[in-house]
Amino acid sequence: MAVSTENRPALSPTTDTQNNAQAAAQTIDGFQLVIEALKLNGLDTIYGLPGIPITDLTRRAQGDGLRVLSFRHEQSAGYAASIAGFLTGKPGICLTVSAPGFLNGLNALAHATVNCFPMILISGSSEREIVDLQQGDYEEMDQLAIAKPVAKAAFRVLHAEDIGIGIARAIRAALSGRPGGVYLDLPAKLFAQCIDAAAGRASLIKVVDPAPRQIPAPEAVQRALELLKGAKKPLIILGKGAAYAQADADIQALVEKTGIPYLPMSMAKGLLPDTHELCASAARSFVLPGADVVVLIGARLNWLLSHGKGKTWGGKASKDWGGQKFIQIDISPQEADSNVRIDAPLVGDIGSCVSALLQGIGSGWAKPPADWLNAVHEKKTTNVAKMAETLVKNPSPMNFHSALNVVRDIVKANPEAMLVNEGANALDFTRSIVDMYRPRKRIDVGTWGIMGVGMGYCVAAAVTTRQQVIAVEGDSAFGFSGMEVETICRYDLPVCIVVMNNNGVYKGTDKDPTGRDPAPTVFVKGARYDKIIEAFGGVGVNATTPAELRKAMEDAIRSRKPTLINAVIDETAGTESGRITSLNPSAAKKK
Ligand code: ADP
Ligand code: MG
């Protein structure tokens, strides 16, 4: 342990070693304070990548009993931390080196903020004096300034005695109110600073009630209930905020007591089983425009819900929107009216808001009119039957449907398994085909619809839940974090990756009109992704039929061995951009 000269007593040469040890015992350095502050707050897992100046922090944290998971790229470590935050309700910790490592982690920090996941990115940084004078230090960068615009909050700690405060502030910022990504800048010099051990330990803070309940105002609850009472065609939309809030039983009770059909957003699938009689997923394009009062629970009216406007919703011919009324439950008081008028905003934490609604509803609540419920049910039955027909087809080569029919069965048989999902077609089809049965089991591309979260999510999901993880990956999506299969093998995690290999982005059929190069959207034809995991001792399987895929997935789940299945999919099977074709500028121009 390094001891700073200021704290060091005058020593005679003969007793130097002895006194040094004594001095060290009475002092504590920055490394140790960071570790103890994290432990004090129950933050027992670090997702990161060692290097200057945080290598010793990773070593000593591991020595002190923290779980330190080392990745091959900071972006994956960051995504792992972000989803650990979503799954556990504690901020996920990502630890990186300075400038380039920090920048690699920044993507995940922004992702956490955008998705409302609590996460703390801790990065080592270079000497402040040199950075601020731009004198060209090793990995010189003003990291704090760069992190600020994409973080919910950003802090820098310069003195060892402030480490406790710095970490407490980061935890509070990440967890309280609308959760988000927080940046904590720890300059290299800080780690070696030594202070008196007792004073240092006394300076650490165990954060009390970091995510305080926020009780909704009684009049806001009343307003919402009045609106809901008058509804003829009510609909509940559950977002990932509802999944994060861990108010599962009350949310289920609200749906069932009111008898209102509900739509789960992607990561809210399984909050109630997708097979629930009130689940309206299979009638989505009917209920969105059809509903007269919509209750949003932890879901924003962003692009994923067509901003609550237009043809998707109950717009009138004269006015493109405004035909529906909204109740919005959200912890952020600024969320209401962001896209359309919210008639009854209910500001508070979802647990408190839902329980207040439940109390207000009491026992005499009338179920929605039968014609609405019947219409939803009918639409749903027709669509489910149509989908069932498609799913039983067994074309050769496999397409997304026949492959996902297998995944659907496997998830049904293993409802506790975590499902990681990213891609374009691989994402859209999985979301609609694979039913989820338990809360917080489906984790995916989130608010931005990004690629690259896959393997980082797999690691965090396996580590935080200890459940089997199944990852359904587009071949393009997998490429962003594919090297992390080494991480998965190294920690021997029960992860079964299914790469939906259709030879390219969207499809594998594009051609370079000049005939010179492969088209920008295509990859090596017939690539064998399964060989990648074999390099690290995992199990690789090439599956060309649903039967082969089924057997490989069953084997993986039985053995809990890291497995990568190369599912060979018809290269003509995908569509451009999956379900968001309309967002391509050329498609928009044609409209
Ligand atoms: P989805 O994409 O699934 O629709 P969003 O990410 O758009 O979900 O919305 C999540 C919303 O949930 C955010 O507006 C966020 O403020 C809110 N939220 C997150 N946690 C809580 C909570 N504990 N209580 C209330 N609202 C929450
Ligand atoms: Mg593809």
Side-chain angles (χ1 to χ4, degrees):
M1 187 183 292
V3 179
S4 71
T5 40
E6 307 98 86
N7 293 335
R8 192 164 160 171
L11 302 171
S12 74
T14 46
T15 57
D16 197 61
T17 322
Q18 204 184 344
N19 284 340
N20 229 344
Q22 206 181 353
Q26 289 162 1
T27 60
I28 188 167
D29 67 4
F31 285 117
Q32 195 61 26
L33 285 164
V34 171
I35 292 164
E36 293 191 14
L38 293 175
K39 279 175 84 169
L40 185 64
N41 285 287
L43 302 175
D44 53 11
T45 308
I46 293 175
Y47 303 88
L49 210 160
I52 294 172
I54 50 98
T55 313
D56 281 341
L57 184 60
T58 61
R59 288 196 186 109
R60 285 175 53 179
Q62 188 173 53
D64 260 16
L66 269 81
R67 190 106 200 252
V68 182
L69 296 150
S70 213
F71 286 71
R72 305 303 297 262
H73 192 286
E74 291 88 352
Q75 184 171 303
S76 292
Y79 285 141
S82 74
I83 206 68
F86 169 77
L87 291 171
T88 64
K90 292 195 290 188
I93 304 293
C94 176
L95 180 63
T96 80
V97 302
S98 34
F102 156 79
L103 286 173
N104 286 344
L106 207 56
N107 207 324
L109 183 70
H111 171 73
T113 305
V114 164
N115 283 275
C116 318
F117 298 158
M119 165 185 172
I120 303 174
L121 173 67
I122 302 179
S123 296
S125 59
S126 306
E127 302 304 336
R128 283 259 38 88
E129 295 80 353
I130 303 179
V131 172
D132 289 347
L133 278 171
Q134 297 176 28
Q135 294 173 312
D137 201 5
Y138 166 74
E139 296 188 350
E140 176 179 300
M141 175 172 275
D142 187 358
Q143 295 169 198
L144 187 72
I146 289 165
K148 269 183 187 163
V150 298
K152 186 180 169 194
F155 306 102
R156 177 187 290 134
V157 181
L158 291 176
H159 304 292
E161 55 266 36
D162 291 331
I163 287 173
I165 297 279
I167 289 183
R169 299 213 72 192
I171 292 170
R172 250 185 219 292
L175 284 177
S176 60
R178 172 182 275 177
V182 175
Y183 176 60
L184 189 62
D185 192 85
L186 302 183
K189 263 190 189 170
L190 177 77
F191 295 114
Q193 276 181 32
C194 281
I195 57 174
D196 175 75
R201 292 204 164 96
S203 74
L204 302 183
I205 293 173
K206 186 168 173 16
V207 180
V208 176
D209 197 12
R213 287 201 302 149
Q214 296 190 22
I215 316 289
E219 61 274 19
V221 176
Q222 215 40 51
R223 194 186 295 123
L225 285 170
E226 288 304 320
L227 187 53
L228 201 54
K229 232 177 251 170
K232 299 273 177 293
K233 299 171 176 182
L235 173 70
I236 292 174
I237 297 182
L238 302 172
K240 60 176 154 343
Y244 173 77
Q246 303 205 10
D248 310 336
D250 273 0
I251 289 172
Q252 176 153 5
L254 182 73
V255 170
E256 290 176 347
K257 277 198 174 166
T258 58
I260 298 176
Y262 72 94
L263 258 188
M265 297 299 285
S266 183
M267 279 175 58
K269 275 167 72 75
L271 208 43
L272 286 80
D274 281 341
T275 47
H276 196 284
E277 57 164 343
L278 289 168
C279 179
S281 291
R284 183 187 162 100
S285 51
F286 174 75
V287 290
L288 287 179
D292 62 349
V293 176
V294 179
V295 188
L296 297 158
I297 308 186
R300 287 168 285 185
L301 280 174
N302 55 20
W303 70 281
L304 288 160
L305 282 169
S306 316
H307 305 281
K309 306 178 202 179
K311 276 196 228 125
T312 308
W313 294 85
K316 292 183 181 137
S318 54
K319 257 198 297 137
D320 204 23
W321 55 280
Q324 292 165 311
K325 302 242 184 257
F326 289 92
I327 297 165
Q328 183 160 32
I329 301 182
D330 206 291
I331 202 152
S332 165
Q334 295 178 37
E335 186 55 38
D337 305 329
S338 56
N339 285 275
V340 299
R341 177 178 54 245
I342 300 298
D343 307 272
L346 201 49
V347 177
D349 70 278
I350 285 166
S352 302
C353 292
V354 171
S355 109
L357 287 179
L358 273 173
Q359 272 175 29
I361 279 161
S363 51
W365 186 267
K367 300 259 146 120
D371 51 353
W372 170 238
L373 296 180
N374 292 341
V376 176
H377 185 73
E378 209 171 290
K379 198 77 203 164
K380 203 175 127 172
T381 315
T382 317
N383 288 345
V384 167
K386 248 191 254 166
M387 178 61 94
E389 254 172 54
T390 317
L391 289 179
V392 293
K393 285 185 192 148
N394 192 1
S396 180
M398 277 194 290
N399 61 11
F400 287 101
H401 289 85
S402 60
L404 288 169
N405 189 36
V406 173
V407 178
R408 174 187 162 98
D409 289 348
I410 300 276
V411 170
K412 187 174 184 186
N414 299 277
E416 291 301 333
M418 295 294 302
L419 183 70
V420 173
N421 189 200
E422 62 176 338
N425 293 285
L427 174 85
D428 293 336
F429 287 126
T430 305
R431 190 176 48 223
S432 57
I433 293 170
V434 178
D435 289 329
M436 304 306 296
Y437 301 87
R438 305 264 196 277
R440 293 171 295 283
K441 293 295 179 189
R442 188 191 149 86
I443 48 180
D444 65 26
V445 302
T447 302
W448 267 345
I450 42 157
M451 310 276 159
V453 293
M455 297 305 103
Y457 273 22
C458 284
V459 172
V463 165
T464 59
T465 71
R466 298 174 189 273
Q467 299 290 344
Q468 173 69 41
V469 180
I470 297 167
V472 178
E473 300 273 314
D475 51 347
S476 164
F478 173 72
F480 287 81
S481 65
M483 194 64 205
E484 303 297 344
V485 295
E486 189 277 330
T487 312
I488 290 167
C489 289
R490 186 166 13 108
Y491 294 108
D492 194 22
L493 300 172
V495 175
C496 172
I497 305 152
V498 181
V499 175
M500 297 286 188
N501 186 358
N502 66 347
N503 292 344
V505 181
Y506 311 136
K507 289 178 182 226
T509 49
D510 276 5
K511 297 255 180 311
D512 173 359
T514 71
R516 186 174 53 191
D517 282 326
T521 54
V522 307
F523 299 141
V524 169
K525 302 262 182 200
R528 291 286 302 274
Y529 290 97
D530 50 311
K531 298 279 181 198
I532 296 177
I533 201 164
E534 289 177 357
F536 307 110
V539 178
V541 181
N542 190 48
T544 58
T545 64
E548 286 170 4
L549 176 59
R550 189 178 302 269
K551 172 161 189 320
M553 290 189 79
E554 284 171 353
D555 287 350
I557 289 170
R558 201 173 308 118
S559 70
R560 287 176 72 87
K561 283 193 188 136
T563 301
L564 196 159
I565 304 165
N566 183 56
V568 181
I569 302 291
D570 183 353
E571 67 172 8
T572 65
T575 60
E576 177 85 13
S577 308
R579 296 252 168 95
I580 53 175
T581 307
S582 61
L583 297 182
N584 277 337
S586 47
K589 215 167 73 188
K590 277 185 216 144
K591 269 205 296 195

